[in-house]
mmCIF file of all heavy atoms in Angstrom:
data_model
loop_
_atom_site.group_PDB
_atom_site.id
_atom_site.type_symbol
_atom_site.label_atom_id
_atom_site.label_comp_id
_atom_site.label_asym_id
_atom_site.label_seq_id
_atom_site.Cartn_x
_atom_site.Cartn_y
_atom_site.Cartn_z
ATOM 1 N N ILE I 57 6.373 -16.308 -21.865
ATOM 2 C CA ILE I 57 4.990 -16.807 -21.739
ATOM 3 C C ILE I 57 4.683 -17.261 -20.316
ATOM 4 O O ILE I 57 3.681 -16.881 -19.692
ATOM 5 C CB ILE I 57 4.721 -17.957 -22.719
ATOM 6 C CG1 ILE I 57 4.721 -17.353 -24.163
ATOM 7 C CG2 ILE I 57 3.410 -18.635 -22.434
ATOM 8 C CD1 ILE I 57 4.607 -18.378 -25.286
ATOM 9 N N GLU I 58 5.608 -18.032 -19.712
ATOM 10 C CA GLU I 58 5.392 -18.514 -18.356
ATOM 11 C C GLU I 58 5.453 -17.479 -17.293
ATOM 12 O O GLU I 58 4.977 -17.591 -16.199
ATOM 13 C CB GLU I 58 6.371 -19.659 -17.994
ATOM 14 C CG GLU I 58 6.093 -20.958 -18.703
ATOM 15 C CD GLU I 58 4.805 -21.633 -18.202
ATOM 16 O OE1 GLU I 58 4.693 -21.919 -17.030
ATOM 17 O OE2 GLU I 58 3.885 -21.808 -19.055
ATOM 18 N N CYS I 60 4.145 -14.503 -17.484
ATOM 19 C CA CYS I 60 2.977 -13.574 -17.439
ATOM 20 C C CYS I 60 1.988 -14.036 -16.396
ATOM 21 O O CYS I 60 1.544 -15.149 -16.400
ATOM 22 C CB CYS I 60 2.339 -13.534 -18.823
ATOM 23 S SG CYS I 60 0.828 -12.485 -18.785
ATOM 24 N N LYS I 77 -3.970 -8.028 -25.447
ATOM 25 C CA LYS I 77 -3.979 -6.738 -24.749
ATOM 26 C C LYS I 77 -5.168 -6.575 -23.813
ATOM 27 O O LYS I 77 -5.118 -5.857 -22.820
ATOM 28 C CB LYS I 77 -3.939 -5.575 -25.774
ATOM 29 C CG LYS I 77 -2.583 -5.489 -26.455
ATOM 30 C CD LYS I 77 -2.378 -4.225 -27.168
ATOM 31 C CE LYS I 77 -0.976 -4.235 -27.754
ATOM 32 N NZ LYS I 77 -0.737 -3.087 -28.633
ATOM 33 N N GLU I 79 -6.251 -8.826 -21.877
ATOM 34 C CA GLU I 79 -5.905 -9.492 -20.557
ATOM 35 C C GLU I 79 -4.690 -8.866 -19.906
ATOM 36 O O GLU I 79 -4.544 -8.933 -18.683
ATOM 37 C CB GLU I 79 -5.629 -10.963 -20.782
ATOM 38 C CG GLU I 79 -6.849 -11.783 -21.186
ATOM 39 C CD GLU I 79 -7.915 -11.766 -20.105
ATOM 40 O OE1 GLU I 79 -7.558 -11.856 -18.904
ATOM 41 O OE2 GLU I 79 -9.099 -11.653 -20.453
ATOM 42 N N CYS I 80 -3.776 -8.257 -20.671
ATOM 43 C CA CYS I 80 -2.529 -7.781 -20.122
ATOM 44 C C CYS I 80 -2.752 -6.718 -19.031
ATOM 45 O O CYS I 80 -3.580 -5.834 -19.177
ATOM 46 C CB CYS I 80 -1.674 -7.146 -21.242
ATOM 47 S SG CYS I 80 -0.164 -6.328 -20.665
ATOM 48 N N VAL I 81 -2.028 -6.896 -17.878
ATOM 49 C CA VAL I 81 -2.138 -5.940 -16.772
ATOM 50 C C VAL I 81 -0.969 -4.981 -16.743
ATOM 51 O O VAL I 81 -0.786 -4.237 -15.799
ATOM 52 C CB VAL I 81 -2.325 -6.650 -15.416
ATOM 53 C CG1 VAL I 81 -3.623 -7.375 -15.338
ATOM 54 C CG2 VAL I 81 -1.155 -7.614 -15.138
ATOM 55 N N GLY I 82 -0.156 -5.015 -17.798
ATOM 56 C CA GLY I 82 0.928 -4.027 -17.922
ATOM 57 C C GLY I 82 1.991 -4.073 -16.895
ATOM 58 O O GLY I 82 2.546 -3.046 -16.519
ATOM 59 N N CYS I 83 2.304 -5.270 -16.416
ATOM 60 C CA CYS I 83 3.322 -5.346 -15.298
ATOM 61 C C CYS I 83 4.711 -5.248 -15.830
ATOM 62 O O CYS I 83 5.665 -4.991 -15.059
ATOM 63 C CB CYS I 83 3.138 -6.623 -14.505
ATOM 64 S SG CYS I 83 3.530 -8.107 -15.399
ATOM 65 N N PHE I 84 4.944 -5.460 -17.121
ATOM 66 C CA PHE I 84 6.253 -5.402 -17.747
ATOM 67 C C PHE I 84 7.256 -6.408 -17.232
ATOM 68 O O PHE I 84 8.450 -6.234 -17.371
ATOM 69 C CB PHE I 84 6.859 -3.977 -17.642
ATOM 70 C CG PHE I 84 6.012 -2.917 -18.305
ATOM 71 C CD1 PHE I 84 6.031 -1.580 -17.860
ATOM 72 C CD2 PHE I 84 5.154 -3.212 -19.390
ATOM 73 C CE1 PHE I 84 5.244 -0.616 -18.479
ATOM 74 C CE2 PHE I 84 4.410 -2.231 -19.980
ATOM 75 C CZ PHE I 84 4.418 -0.941 -19.540
ATOM 76 N N VAL I 99 6.057 4.722 -22.691
ATOM 77 C CA VAL I 99 5.241 5.262 -21.583
ATOM 78 C C VAL I 99 3.866 5.748 -21.982
ATOM 79 O O VAL I 99 2.989 5.903 -21.152
ATOM 80 C CB VAL I 99 5.975 6.420 -20.863
ATOM 81 C CG1 VAL I 99 7.239 5.881 -20.172
ATOM 82 C CG2 VAL I 99 6.310 7.567 -21.776
ATOM 83 N N THR P 92 1.276 -2.294 -11.002
ATOM 84 C CA THR P 92 1.668 -3.665 -11.413
ATOM 85 C C THR P 92 3.104 -3.764 -11.874
ATOM 86 O O THR P 92 3.574 -4.842 -12.116
ATOM 87 C CB THR P 92 0.748 -4.166 -12.574
ATOM 88 O OG1 THR P 92 0.907 -3.248 -13.654
ATOM 89 C CG2 THR P 92 -0.714 -4.197 -12.180
ATOM 90 N N GLN P 93 3.777 -2.599 -11.965
ATOM 91 C CA GLN P 93 5.055 -2.632 -12.635
ATOM 92 C C GLN P 93 6.236 -2.890 -11.649
ATOM 93 O O GLN P 93 7.280 -3.350 -12.080
ATOM 94 C CB GLN P 93 5.357 -1.307 -13.349
ATOM 95 C CG GLN P 93 4.404 -1.015 -14.478
ATOM 96 C CD GLN P 93 3.062 -0.482 -13.994
ATOM 97 O OE1 GLN P 93 2.920 -0.031 -12.888
ATOM 98 N NE2 GLN P 93 2.029 -0.617 -14.851
ATOM 99 N N LYS P 185 -9.980 -14.807 -11.663
ATOM 100 C CA LYS P 185 -8.840 -14.000 -11.186
ATOM 101 C C LYS P 185 -9.270 -12.661 -10.666
ATOM 102 O O LYS P 185 -8.488 -11.912 -10.063
ATOM 103 C CB LYS P 185 -7.791 -13.854 -12.337
ATOM 104 C CG LYS P 185 -8.249 -13.059 -13.529
ATOM 105 C CD LYS P 185 -7.097 -12.887 -14.479
ATOM 106 C CE LYS P 185 -7.446 -11.997 -15.675
ATOM 107 N NZ LYS P 185 -8.460 -12.621 -16.554
ATOM 108 N N ARG P 212 -2.618 -20.234 -13.875
ATOM 109 C CA ARG P 212 -1.811 -21.247 -14.529
ATOM 110 C C ARG P 212 -2.074 -22.632 -13.878
ATOM 111 O O ARG P 212 -2.175 -23.612 -14.552
ATOM 112 C CB ARG P 212 -0.348 -20.869 -14.325
ATOM 113 C CG ARG P 212 0.545 -21.551 -15.290
ATOM 114 C CD ARG P 212 1.811 -20.787 -15.510
ATOM 115 N NE ARG P 212 1.748 -19.870 -16.665
ATOM 116 C CZ ARG P 212 1.747 -18.545 -16.557
ATOM 117 N NH1 ARG P 212 1.741 -17.979 -15.407
ATOM 118 N NH2 ARG P 212 1.692 -17.805 -17.648
ATOM 119 N N LYS P 246 -5.721 -2.750 -14.933
ATOM 120 C CA LYS P 246 -4.750 -2.386 -15.968
ATOM 121 C C LYS P 246 -3.528 -1.786 -15.314
ATOM 122 O O LYS P 246 -3.571 -1.473 -14.120
ATOM 123 C CB LYS P 246 -5.377 -1.400 -16.974
ATOM 124 C CG LYS P 246 -6.597 -1.928 -17.709
ATOM 125 C CD LYS P 246 -6.375 -3.171 -18.515
ATOM 126 C CE LYS P 246 -5.624 -2.973 -19.823
ATOM 127 N NZ LYS P 246 -5.455 -4.285 -20.571
ATOM 128 N N GLY P 247 -2.540 -1.564 -16.130
ATOM 129 C CA GLY P 247 -1.278 -1.008 -15.567
ATOM 130 C C GLY P 247 -1.395 0.379 -15.029
ATOM 131 O O GLY P 247 -0.483 0.834 -14.316
ATOM 132 N N GLU P 256 5.314 7.232 -16.307
ATOM 133 C CA GLU P 256 6.648 6.959 -16.873
ATOM 134 C C GLU P 256 7.671 6.581 -15.766
ATOM 135 O O GLU P 256 8.442 5.618 -15.928
ATOM 136 C CB GLU P 256 7.134 8.190 -17.625
ATOM 137 C CG GLU P 256 8.497 8.005 -18.253
ATOM 138 C CD GLU P 256 8.901 9.172 -19.163
ATOM 139 O OE1 GLU P 256 8.132 10.118 -19.292
ATOM 140 O OE2 GLU P 256 10.013 9.126 -19.680
ATOM 141 N N HIS P 266 12.789 -5.283 -12.386
ATOM 142 C CA HIS P 266 12.607 -6.578 -13.078
ATOM 143 C C HIS P 266 13.958 -7.062 -13.647
ATOM 144 O O HIS P 266 14.353 -8.212 -13.518
ATOM 145 C CB HIS P 266 11.631 -6.462 -14.228
ATOM 146 C CG HIS P 266 10.187 -6.298 -13.840
ATOM 147 N ND1 HIS P 266 9.597 -7.028 -12.848
ATOM 148 C CD2 HIS P 266 9.193 -5.500 -14.371
ATOM 149 C CE1 HIS P 266 8.326 -6.694 -12.737
ATOM 150 N NE2 HIS P 266 8.038 -5.768 -13.660
ATOM 151 N N LYS P 327 7.599 -20.116 -13.721
ATOM 152 C CA LYS P 327 6.235 -19.534 -13.763
ATOM 153 C C LYS P 327 6.136 -18.273 -12.910
ATOM 154 O O LYS P 327 6.967 -18.080 -11.991
ATOM 155 C CB LYS P 327 5.264 -20.591 -13.239
ATOM 156 C CG LYS P 327 5.114 -21.781 -14.139
ATOM 157 C CD LYS P 327 4.271 -22.847 -13.457
ATOM 158 C CE LYS P 327 4.240 -24.083 -14.333
ATOM 159 N NZ LYS P 327 3.686 -25.233 -13.659
ATOM 160 N N ALA P 328 5.097 -17.545 -13.169
ATOM 161 C CA ALA P 328 4.824 -16.360 -12.354
ATOM 162 C C ALA P 328 4.392 -16.898 -11.002
ATOM 163 O O ALA P 328 3.442 -17.625 -10.874
ATOM 164 C CB ALA P 328 3.731 -15.568 -12.988
#
Side-chain angles (χ1 to χ4, degrees):
Chain I
I57 292 174
E58 286 292 301
C60 178
K77 291 193 177 173
E79 291 298 320
C80 174
V81 293
C83 68
F84 300 152
V99 295
Chain P
T92 60
Q93 297 79 20
K185 66 176 183 293
R212 199 156 268 110
K246 299 302 282 180
E256 181 173 358
H266 288 316
K327 293 172 185 168

